[in-house]
Structure formats: C-alpha cells, structure tokens
Amino acid sequence: MISYSTDVSALAEDDLGGFFVGWPAPPSRAQHLAVLRGSYRVVIARSDSTVVGFVNMISDGVLTAFIPWLEVLPEFQGQGVGTELVRRILAEAEQMYSVDLICDEELKPFYERLGMTAWTGMMLRNRDAIRSLPGRASAGEGRP
Ligand SMILES: CC(C)(COP(=O)(O)OP(=O)(O)OC[C@H]1O[C@@H](n2cnc3c(N)ncnc32)[C@H](O)[C@@H]1OP(=O)(O)O)[C@@H](O)C(=O)NCCC(=O)NCCS
C-alpha cells in the first residue's frame, strides 16, 4: 500500500536512502532534503514509513514551473508509483502556463501518457556544482 504526501516538514535525512541510482556523484541526503524543502511543490510516496519515490517542482509561483527530479526506488518501479507522483505534482500546477522537464528519449511515452508534449530543449550542467554544494561530504555519501 503506497501513500502520497505533499508535506515534507517531518521528513528527515535518514528517510532518504537508496535514491540517485547510477549518479556518478549523487547529492548527499542532506542536500536531497534541502532540495525538497526548497522546492515549490513536492510529492513523496511512502510504503509504510519508507520513502520509495519523490518528485519535486520549482516555480515562479505564477505561470511557470519546472520538474527537475523524479525517482522511484528500483524495487518499487513498474507499479504505478512514478505515474501517480507526476499526476499529483501536475495537479499542483494546473493554474500554470507552462510545466517543463527534461527526460531521456525512452521516457517520452511515459510523460505523453500524462498529457505532456515532447519538445526540444537546451541545457547547461556544471557537474562540479553538485560536489561543492554545502553539506556535501563525499561522492558516496547518502547512498545505501
Ligand atoms: C521513470 C520512473 C520514475 C518511473 O517510475 P515507475 O514507478 O516505475 O513508473 P510507473 O510504474 O508509473 O510506470 C511504468 C512505466 O513507465 C515507463 N518507464 C519507466 N522507466 C522507463 C525507462 N527507463 N524507459 C522507458 N520507459 C520507462 C514504462 O512505460 C513503464 O511501463 P511498464 O511498467 O508497462 O513497463 C522510474 O523508472 C525511475 O525512478 N527511474 C530512474 C530515474 C529516472 O529516470 N527519472 C526520470 C527523470 S526525467
């Protein structure tokens, strides 16, 4: 039984294990928590008390929103959790003009099923920035 919440006020670093699978330099749990707390909206999926998925949204609060991160723990994937997380965070932004995100080619059908449209985009990444964020101790910290 999966439950969903938009309230991250009681979330702790220890609740956030096992995410950022495959990232060469993942954010620490402290950074992950800070990102969620600093986001415009967040939806968390829990199985009992374990956080098994999350999605966050940043926004100007008026017309424009962006979804930077969506992840479901590997052992909980393929059960509809990611779909429900996106559905719920899009509902949080239904008054917005634009909600954008960047995804891999193979995930386009996933987002199209949720009403989104494939488009072109541009990006810039400073991979050193994630390593130098406050609270980051080492590349492996925050991983199980
Ligand atoms: C993408 C992700 C959030 C989907 O979560 P989920 O809970 O597994 O999604 P759902 O169960 O709601 O939907 C599953 C469907 O998503 C699609 N899907 C999920 N991951 C996919 C992938 N890597 N490639 C192609 N399709 C994928 C499939 O169509 C799948 O359908 P199926 O179960 O019939 O095979 C999850 O796979 C994940 O955390 N991946 C790693 C992080 C990531 O890629 N995040 C997205 C950043 S844009």
Side-chain angles (χ1 to χ4, degrees), residues 26-65:
S28 67
R29 292 186 193 191
Q31 289 173 340
H32 188 182
L33 183 59
V35 164
L36 296 181
R37 289 200 172 140
S39 294
Y40 173 71
R41 293 285 188 275
V42 174
V43 185
I44 298 291
R46 288 181 187 269
S47 173
D48 297 322
S49 60
T50 305
V51 177
V52 300
F54 70 93
V55 61
N56 71 318
M57 174 181 281
I58 56 176
S59 176
D60 57 26
V62 185
L63 291 176
T64 308

Side-chain angles (χ1 to χ4, degrees), residues 68-73 76-84 101-104 106-107 110-111 113:
W69 286 352
L70 164 71
E71 190 167 343
V72 175
L73 292 181
F76 287 87
Q77 291 177 12
Q79 302 171 35
V81 177
T83 297
E84 188 62 16
L101 59 82
I102 289 176
C103 72
D104 291 341
E106 65 263 25
L107 276 171
F110 172 81
Y111 290 111
R113 282 204 299 271

